[in-house]
């Protein structure tokens, strides 16, 4: 109870509310700009926090963090350009909805899902930091490997009817993930002395290329006078009760996945949002709508991503371990003020944490009105005539890509990924397996090999770790289930398209 | 790969954000500044804004401009673990207007990858600090000394953690294996965070890391430092022996200095040789860098060139021995 | 050729190229039992086998005459009704972007972005008049404000660096 009273007192006496609003607005803006990751958006604010009191400073940074995770979905839905890599999952169905003229609705669903995810995440941080932090310790390299395999197992079900193409796509994604410094020996793989490739191919660049540049190429090359792609309503549309009911399960799945991945350092929001997308599809009553503008497909990843962001504070607050770039910047924010997050801070300076928590709550409340104010303008922008829209998207995408590393090489990478994306469209290959391979490839390979280093090459390590056993069995179950469904469909309708798989 | 980037940045941020800790406003010191031929000096770092070396440099420039009569700006040339910064530096004029903030990373990157410009294109200017490295274990581990760990490794298997695959830390553990003749698996991860979790949950018996990466866990009494990998014990960690005290002839010198393009004029190097001891003696800066767990280690230009050269050759030999670098 | 078979053949070619490149990955003594080249080899052979199987399966399906061919299925959106024409137009857009990237650091951010917007619009059939020029320059101003002024990104100044 004391905690709650203290928090309310702090709300009135310190600059929590204005800082939360400023941070949120800045975060949405940064997240919505392709190329600006949430961590950079936060790092840009760091210098300003030097002179502030610790509580407003931390509230500013954490609100930015929360806002940026939401902001990434705006360009994902509107112009098929993920603002952050985690928002690429939201894009799959979000952009389909926009093409159907339901942009306002898609933005409303993503906003609601983000708010739910935020609240769930922050509540977990406030209530469960101590108990949940123990879970993080249960994750060994073998567990991360198994988690990645579970993520890959959905490829079979998302490429229904074109299993071969799905697997080929996934393998290409995994191959791109092997470029860069080898995670165990440290030698360069496929780098050819190119400095830009040493740290690997940035996922966000490939995603932006595959989707945004691929889309630009397709639209530019399509000379037939097409119907004007309309974003539909020029206003944000809060989801109706029926839609809310429909997305409730997706939000639940998203929250649960977000919580789990948030606690474990190393999984990250991108993995969480893609897993939420595929799990929501797995448990949906209408899985066939996924990829064709499903409301659940927008809600689940968005909810997971935001819950993950909130819960991601737990490893930082309980162990002092930053699990992501963004929390590492936040750690910087703590250290500027001479505070070391970790077990001791909880006992010594609880006021600071309560201040931060109440700021986070204010920020997630402020998300909805702030989004209402900014989104209508964004929708108007993307309803401009097609040639201008795609010319500006190209300029935006390349500007964003350049700002990551200040490297023209990255621009070439984006363009090359765009050509790959265009080719995949021509061959009718599903995008999701490739993206999953790209997102999970590094986690799977590095932890697979780390586990074997620990065990001295003994594969028993994967069945001795209970977490790994659970994930691997789930993967096998899902795999078997989808394969059975695939073959049953094929037998029932032999003349169907499924044959081509 | 995202995860890779995430952790690389996380680690660098984690490693040295402490430099920010006491960044208070400074009163102008009424002392004679050392004359310098350039009005503005650019300090290049391969770390991103807010990252380890970046924070360290921005903090240092505030004090540096009180010592040297010039303004200092920090430029981030990130990417490729220093490879891009080296390529950038190789194109600059060696007139003392631009320097690169170096750590052993740039030597390692030069050895591990074929680059258009590597460390040999640069001339070390002078050294400022060492980052002390320690070996630690979880607080409730059965090991009380480094010897206990080595005994376990001799008897069967032991797993040791280091943050990056191609790094000074990793090679140091490989060296320790060689010196002691024990069998241990050296497990690398892309960030200090994952290594720490695996030490805490017992997957790894010990790990190597910088003191400042462990601040939170040390304060929370979750980890215990078994040995310091420096020549002398650290004031911050009273009672912790060095590896040498424990009978293992191993010390790490993780240096932090500056380097310029090849062919620095003598008046420039002299100015810095004069400036650095003054800088390190500044009591305000001293409080700052001590809070960041940096050990002052001034090495003047002439010695530093030899020092870095020796370090680079030594590491190359080690890397060749373990087969990461091909013999030529 | 059937579109799916072509897809399989290209994937097979990618697998071969990848395996050739993977053969140059150096082996080290401090590695693990899998080695730096282990997973790449697995992926390369996996892709080669999968794409070969796919081509085989498609050939069987075509010969047996069951099911529609990929070409007959067509594309519901009609985007690839005339694939060669579409490729040619896409190649043009790629060329514009490639030129933009190539001269990006020389021309400087502002001018190259304005030119990119202008060129992409003209390529899509917008009349190259004063209005479009104004829109392109206006767009570049907005991008400049966002990325350079607000976000402090070091965009290249290019040949204009000396003038400023």
């Amino acid at each position: 109870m004391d905690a709650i009273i203290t928090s309310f007192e702090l709300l009135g006496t310190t600059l929590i509310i204005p800082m939360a609003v400023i941070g949120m607005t800045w975060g949405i803006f940064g997240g919505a700009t392709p190329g600006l990751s949430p961590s950079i958006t936060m790092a840009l604010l760091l210098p300003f926090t030097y002179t502030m009191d610790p509580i407003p400073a931390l509230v500013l940074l954490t609100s930015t963090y929360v806002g940026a995770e939401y902001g990434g979905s705006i360009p994902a839905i509107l112009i098929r350009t993920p603002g952050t890599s985690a928002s690429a999952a939201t894009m799959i169905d979000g952009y389909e909805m926009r093409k159907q003229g339901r942009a306002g609705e898609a933005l409303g669903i993503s906003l609601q899902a983000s708010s739910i995810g935020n609240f769930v995440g922050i509540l977990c941080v406030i209530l469960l930091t101590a108990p949940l932090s123990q879970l993080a310790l249960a994750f060994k390299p073998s567990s991360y490997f198994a988690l990645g395999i579970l993520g890959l197992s959905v490829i079979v079900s998302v490429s229904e009817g074109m299993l071969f193409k799905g697997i080929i796509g996934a393998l290409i994604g995994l191959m791109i993930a092997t470029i860069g410094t080898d995670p165990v020996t440290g030698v360069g793989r496929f780098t050819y002395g190119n400095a830009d490739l040493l740290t690997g191919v940035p996922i966000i660049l490939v995603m932006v290329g595959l989707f945004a540049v691929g889309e630009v190429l397709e639209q530019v090359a399509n000379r037939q006078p097409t119907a004007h792609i309309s974003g539909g309503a020029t206003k944000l549309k809060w989801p109706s009760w029926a839609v809310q009911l429909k997305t409730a399960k997706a939000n639940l799945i998203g929250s649960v996945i977000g919580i789990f991945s948030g606690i474990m350092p190393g999984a990250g929001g991108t993995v969480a949002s893609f897993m939420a997308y595929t799990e929501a599809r797995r448990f949906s009553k209408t899985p066939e709508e996924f990829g064709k503008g499903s409301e659940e497909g927008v809600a689940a990843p968005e909810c997971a991503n935001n819950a993950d962001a909130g819960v991601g504070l737990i490893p930082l607050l309980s162990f002092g371990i930053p699990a992501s770039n963004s929390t590492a910047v936040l750690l910087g924010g703590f250290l500027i003020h001479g505070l070391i997050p970790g077990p001791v801070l909880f006992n010594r300076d609880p006021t600071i944490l309560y201040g931060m928590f109440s700021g986070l709550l204010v920020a997630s409340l402020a998300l909805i009105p702030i989004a209402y104010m900014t989104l209508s303008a964004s929708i108007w922008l993307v309803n401009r005539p097609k040639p201008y829209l795609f010319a500006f998207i190209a300029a935006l995408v390349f500007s964003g890509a350049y700002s990551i590393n200040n490297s023209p090489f990255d621009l070439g990478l984006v363009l090359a990924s765009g050509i790959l994306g265009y080719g995949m469209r021509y061959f009718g290959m599903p995008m999701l397996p490739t993206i999953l391979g790209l997102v999970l490839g590094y986690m799977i390979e590095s932890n697979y090999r780390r586990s074997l280093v620990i065990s001295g090459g003994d594969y028993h390590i994967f069945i001795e770790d209970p977490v790994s056993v659970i994930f691997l069995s789930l993967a096998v179950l899902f795999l078997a289930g989808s394969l059975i469904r695939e073959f049953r469909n094929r037998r029932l309708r032999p003349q169907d398209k499924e044959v081509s798989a | 790969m995202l995860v890779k980037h995430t952790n690389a940045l996380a680690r660098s941020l984690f490693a040295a954000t402490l430099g920010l800790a006491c960044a208070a406003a400074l009163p102008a010191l009424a002392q004679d500044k050392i004359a310098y031929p350039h009005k503005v000096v650019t300090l290049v770092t391969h770390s991103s804004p807010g990252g380890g070396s970046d924070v360290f440099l921005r903090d240092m420039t505030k004090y540096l401009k009180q010592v040297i009569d010039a303004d200092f700006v920090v430029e981030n040339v990130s990417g490729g673990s220093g490879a891009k910064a080296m390529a950038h530096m190789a194109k600059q004029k060696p007139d003392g207007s631009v320097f690169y903030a170096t750590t052993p990373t740039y030597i390692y990157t030069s050895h591990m990858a074929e680059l258009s410009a590597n460390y040999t294109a640069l001339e070390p200017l002078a050294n400022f600090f060492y980052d002390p490295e320690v070996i630690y274990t979880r607080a409730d581990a059965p090991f009380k000394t480094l010897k206990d760990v080595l005994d376990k490794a001799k008897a069967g298997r032991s797993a040791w953690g280091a943050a990056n695959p191609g790094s000074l830390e990793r090679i140091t553990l490989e060296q320790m294996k060689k010196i002691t003749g024990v069998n241990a698996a050296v497990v690398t991860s892309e960030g200090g965070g994952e290594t720490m979790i695996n030490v805490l949950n017992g997957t790894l018996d010990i790990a190597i890391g910088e003191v400042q990466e462990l601040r939170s866990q040390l304060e929370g009494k979750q980890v215990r430092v078994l040995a310091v990998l420096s020549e002398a014990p650290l004031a911050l960690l009273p009672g912790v022996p060095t590896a040498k005290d424990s009978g293992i002839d191993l010390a790490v010198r993780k240096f932090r200095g500056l380097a310029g393009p090849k062919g620095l004029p003598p008046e420039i190097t002299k100015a810095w040789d004069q400036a650095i001891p003054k800088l390190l003696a500044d009591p305000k800066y001293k409080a700052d860098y001590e809070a960041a767990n940096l050990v002052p280690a001034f090495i003047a230009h002439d010695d530093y060139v030899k020092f870095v050269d020796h370090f680079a050759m030594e590491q190359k030999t080690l890397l060749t021995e373990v087969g990461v670098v091909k013999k030529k | 050729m059937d579109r799916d078979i072509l897809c399989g053949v290209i994937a097979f070619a990618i697998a071969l190229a990848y395996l050739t490149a993977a053969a140059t990955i150096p082996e080290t003594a401090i590695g693990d039992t899998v080695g730096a080249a282990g997973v790449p080899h697995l992926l390369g052979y996996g892709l080669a086998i999968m794409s070969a199987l796919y081509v085989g399966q498609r050939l069987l399906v075509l010969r047996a005459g069951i099911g529609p061919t990929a070409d007959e299925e067509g594309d519901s959106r009609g985007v690839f009704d005339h694939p060669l024409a579409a490729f040619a137009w896409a190649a043009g857009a790629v060329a514009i972007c490639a030129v933009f990237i190539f001269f990006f650091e020389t021309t400087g951010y502002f001018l190259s972005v304005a030119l990119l917007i202008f060129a992409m619009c003209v390529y899509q059939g917008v009349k190259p008049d004063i209005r479009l020029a104004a829109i392109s320059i206006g767009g570049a101003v907005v991008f400049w404000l966002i990325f350079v002024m607000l976000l402090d990104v070091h965009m290249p100044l290019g040949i204009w660096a000396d003038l400023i």
Side-chain angles (χ1 to χ4, degrees):
Chain A
M1 268 325 276
D2 277 359
I4 296 165
I5 295 164
T6 321
S7 304
F8 272 108
E9 279 172 9
L10 285 169
L11 274 186
T13 50
T14 55
L15 287 169
I16 288 179
I17 295 174
M19 283 305 150
V21 173
I22 294 172
M24 199 73 206
T25 316
W26 173 253
I28 293 178
F29 174 75
T33 311
L36 274 197
S37 58
S39 56
I40 304 279
T41 311
M42 291 165 75
L44 286 167
L45 284 179
L46 264 187
F48 298 101
T49 63
Y50 273 79
T51 50
M52 292 179 171
D53 286 334
I55 293 180
L58 291 173
V59 169
L60 180 68
L61 288 172
T62 42
S63 312
T64 307
Y65 171 58
V66 171
E69 291 299 337
Y70 163 72
S73 68
I74 301 172
I77 292 171
L78 291 177
I79 57 173
R80 211 179 191 194
T81 305
T84 57
S85 27
S87 62
T90 314
M91 176 175 65
I92 301 168
D93 279 277
Y95 188 72
E96 287 301 320
M97 286 184 75
R98 155 157 154 69
K99 282 207 294 197
Q100 298 160 8
R102 294 154 69 203
E105 206 185 323
L107 287 169
I109 293 168
S110 101
L111 178 59
Q112 195 201 24
S114 295
S115 312
I116 294 173
N118 263 335
F119 266 108
V120 169
I122 294 161
L123 279 182
C124 281
V125 176
I126 296 175
L127 300 173
L128 301 172
T129 295
L132 276 185
S133 62
Q134 292 310 313
L135 252 179
L137 287 186
F139 274 75
K140 302 182 171 178
S142 42
S143 328
Y144 283 110
F145 163 75
L147 179 72
I149 293 295
L150 177 62
L152 274 191
S153 76
V154 301
I155 285 172
V156 175
S157 64
V158 296
S159 41
E160 212 167 299
M162 32 185 179
L163 190 54
F164 271 112
K165 280 180 178 169
I167 294 174
I168 289 173
L171 285 167
I172 290 175
L174 289 166
M175 284 176 169
I176 298 174
T178 58
I179 298 172
T181 305
D182 177 61
V184 171
T185 62
V187 298
R189 297 194 295 191
F190 313 108
T191 52
Y192 304 106
N194 187 323
D196 291 279
L197 286 177
L198 280 183
T199 37
V201 177
I203 275 191
I204 181 81
L205 293 182
V206 180
M207 285 185 179
V208 162
L210 278 180
F211 289 105
V213 178
E215 177 82 10
V216 168
L217 291 180
E218 187 181 300
Q219 294 287 347
V220 170
N222 183 15
R223 309 299 292 185
Q224 294 138 340
T226 40
H228 180 63
I229 327 168
S230 163
T234 48
K235 266 182 140 165
L236 181 72
K237 194 167 155 240
W238 191 253
S240 64
W241 279 112
V243 174
Q244 290 196 27
L245 214 62
K246 195 176 170 194
T247 54
K249 190 158 72 184
N251 280 322
L252 181 69
I253 292 172
S255 303
V256 173
I257 291 177
I259 291 170
F260 277 94
S261 76
I263 308 163
M264 312 175 321
T270 312
V271 174
S273 58
F274 276 98
M275 290 196 81
Y277 179 83
T278 50
E279 294 312 311
R281 184 180 190 278
R282 189 128 65 189
F283 290 103
S284 170
K285 282 202 191 90
T286 51
E288 69 281 357
E289 284 179 12
F290 277 71
K292 300 185 185 87
S294 161
E295 290 94 345
E296 295 160 90
V298 174
E302 204 48 31
C303 186
N305 175 25
N306 283 276
D308 174 272
V311 179
L313 294 172
I314 291 182
L316 178 67
L317 296 177
S318 55
F319 295 119
I321 294 172
S324 63
N325 279 338
S326 323
T327 42
V329 174
L330 190 59
L331 173 65
F334 271 98
L335 297 173
I336 286 173
H337 294 98
L339 303 165
I340 302 171
V344 179
L345 184 65
F346 252 102
N347 302 324
R348 195 199 293 155
D349 267 328
T351 326
I352 298 214
L353 293 177
Y354 295 141
M356 203 177 102
F357 292 156
S358 43
L360 274 171
L361 286 173
V362 172
S364 33
L365 282 176
L367 171 63
I368 296 170
I370 293 173
Y372 261 97
M373 282 188 287
T374 51
L375 282 179
S376 295
S378 313
I379 298 179
W380 178 85
L381 267 180
V382 299
N383 277 325
R384 297 309 90 211
K386 191 185 112 175
Y388 299 101
L389 179 61
F390 288 105
F392 273 79
I393 290 177
L396 175 69
V397 161
F398 287 124
S399 306
Y402 188 80
S403 59
I404 300 176
N405 286 325
N406 292 351
S407 162
F409 179 84
D410 286 357
L411 303 186
L413 209 58
V414 168
L415 185 59
S417 312
I419 297 170
L420 177 66
Y422 185 69
M424 287 175 66
R425 282 151 199 256
Y426 172 70
F427 290 119
M429 288 175 73
M431 291 281 180
L432 190 57
T434 306
I435 296 294
L436 279 176
L438 194 63
V439 170
L440 299 171
Y442 184 79
M443 182 167 97
I444 293 176
E445 186 193 356
S446 58
N447 286 299
Y448 167 65
R449 291 174 53 197
R450 265 172 217 153
S451 305
L452 289 176
V453 168
I454 293 171
S455 72
D458 184 353
Y459 282 82
H460 283 103
I461 187 163
F462 297 111
I463 49 170
E464 280 159 7
D465 168 17
V467 182
S468 154
V469 170
I470 293 170
F471 285 153
L472 287 178
S473 337
L474 279 175
V476 170
L477 271 176
F478 285 141
L479 218 55
S482 351
L483 282 176
I484 289 169
R485 202 165 49 210
E486 176 96 13
F487 281 107
R488 190 178 295 155
N489 284 347
R490 207 180 280 194
R491 240 202 345 254
L492 286 176
R493 293 167 288 164
Q495 71 279 35
D496 246 20
K497 211 183 144 183
E498 269 79 3
V499 174
S500 64
Chain B
M1 256 316 294
L2 178 84
V3 187
K4 235 185 282 186
H5 289 281
T6 301
N7 289 323
L9 181 57
R11 175 177 151 71
S12 56
L13 284 168
F14 188 40
T17 11
L18 277 162
L20 288 164
C22 305
L26 280 166
L29 294 174
Q31 66 181 34
D32 293 326
K33 293 183 185 177
I34 293 164
Y36 202 74
H38 301 280
K39 275 217 170 69
V40 179
V41 180
T42 308
L43 302 179
V44 172
T45 170
H46 61 250
S47 113
S48 320
S53 291
D54 178 69
V55 169
F56 161 75
L57 275 186
R58 284 176 203 274
D59 195 35
M60 188 173 80
T61 53
K62 280 181 292 193
Y63 302 94
L64 204 50
K65 67 180 178 206
Q66 321 255 329
V67 179
I68 292 181
D69 190 19
D71 273 327
F72 293 87
V73 290
V74 176
E75 189 184 343
N76 306 85
V77 184
S78 53
S81 309
K84 299 193 74 179
M86 284 188 270
H88 174 81
M89 286 305 293
K91 282 185 272 180
Q92 307 297 314
K93 281 193 214 107
D95 57 359
S97 62
V98 52
F99 294 103
Y100 170 41
T102 56
T103 61
T105 309
Y106 88 114
I107 305 280
Y108 270 84
T109 305
S110 301
H111 284 332
M112 306 284 291
E114 308 267 324
L115 300 172
S116 57
N118 66 12
Y119 78 97
T120 53
L122 307 181
E123 178 174 336
L125 174 70
N127 194 54
F128 292 72
F129 295 105
Y130 285 147
D131 271 340
E133 302 263 0
V134 297
I135 287 184
Y136 63 95
T137 184
R138 63 189 190 280
D140 54 358
F143 323 110
K144 301 288 174 233
T145 63
L146 198 52
K147 198 176 159 296
D148 295 345
V149 181
L150 295 173
D151 286 344
K152 186 194 169 196
K154 262 181 203 138
R157 286 193 65 77
S158 181
W160 302 349
N164 283 301
S167 67
L168 180 61
E169 287 82 0
R170 200 263 173 87
I171 294 302
T172 304
L173 288 187
E174 299 287 348
Q175 246 184 308
M176 191 160 98
K177 270 168 65 178
K178 213 177 85 186
I179 293 173
T180 56
V182 303
N183 178 27
V186 177
V187 183
T188 55
S189 62
E190 294 301 316
E194 277 173 63
T195 304
M196 176 57 76
I197 289 275
N198 284 324
V199 168
L200 292 179
N201 70 20
T203 306
L204 300 173
D205 290 330
I206 50 165
I208 181 170
E210 289 166 26
V211 182
Q212 53 189 348
E213 291 177 294
L214 314 175
R215 282 256 306 226
S216 170
Q217 287 75 29
L218 278 175
E219 203 179 55
K221 300 210 170 20
Q222 292 171 310
V223 297
R224 182 167 59 225
V225 176
L226 294 179
V228 179
L229 294 173
S230 53
E231 303 289 341
L234 291 180
L236 307 148
L237 297 165
V240 178
T242 62
K244 289 195 170 169
D245 293 339
S246 319
I248 300 159
D249 189 17
L250 191 65
V252 188
R253 284 182 300 260
K254 185 160 192 177
F255 55 85
R256 264 181 202 276
L258 292 179
K262 211 155 196 128
L264 293 171
E267 65 266 24
I268 296 288
T269 59
K270 264 186 211 127
W272 283 90
D273 281 350
Q274 224 182 324
I276 298 169
K278 264 181 148 173
L279 171 78
L280 295 178
D282 180 338
K284 287 210 178 64
Y285 189 38
K286 199 172 159 84
D288 240 17
Y289 66 69
E290 279 180 353
N293 295 312
L294 290 170
V295 176
F298 168 61
I299 304 175
H301 176 70
D302 289 347
D303 294 328
Y304 194 49
V305 174
K306 286 180 212 134
F307 171 88
V308 172
D309 208 42
H310 176 75
F311 179 87
M313 291 323 291
E314 183 187 70
Q315 300 304 320
K316 178 151 195 164
T317 315
L318 292 168
L319 286 167
T320 316
E321 272 171 20
V322 295
V324 178
V325 174
K326 270 175 278 180
K327 275 194 204 104
K328 285 219 184 94
Chain C
M1 204 195 303
D2 179 83
R3 194 188 290 180
D4 287 340
I5 292 179
L6 184 64
C7 175
V9 169
I10 291 177
F12 191 75
I14 292 176
L16 289 188
Y18 182 81
L19 281 171
T20 315
T24 62
I25 297 174
E27 286 298 320
T28 68
I30 53 168
D32 44 348
T33 47
V34 181
V39 172
H41 279 136
L42 192 73
L43 295 174
Y45 286 117
L47 184 60
I49 292 168
M50 289 315 277
S51 48
L53 282 176
Y54 185 49
V55 171
Q57 190 244 17
R58 287 302 306 164
L59 283 173
L60 277 179
V61 168
L62 280 182
R63 185 150 309 164
I66 36 166
T69 66
D71 292 335
E72 283 162 15
E73 279 169 32
D75 189 297
S76 53
R77 291 169 299 172
V79 177
F80 293 110
D81 283 349
H82 306 284
L84 290 181
F87 291 162
W89 280 108
V94 169
I96 294 174
C97 295
V99 170
F100 162 80
I101 294 170
F102 191 78
F103 290 107
F104 185 65
E105 293 200 322
T106 342
T107 339
Y109 179 65
F110 185 85
L111 187 60
S112 46
V113 162
L115 287 174
L116 177 70
I117 295 174
F118 192 83
M120 287 295 275
C121 283
V122 171
Y123 191 67
Q124 292 177 88
V126 179
K127 213 167 77 194
D129 52 9
I130 292 289
R131 185 171 163 270
L132 181 59
I135 290 176
S136 308
I137 292 172
V141 168
V142 172
F143 280 119
W144 177 271
L145 286 176
I146 294 177
F147 283 95
V148 178
M149 303 311 282
L150 192 59
L151 300 174
D152 207 21
V153 175
H154 290 281
M155 287 296 184
L157 295 168
I159 46 174
W160 312 102
D162 299 331
L163 300 177
I164 298 169

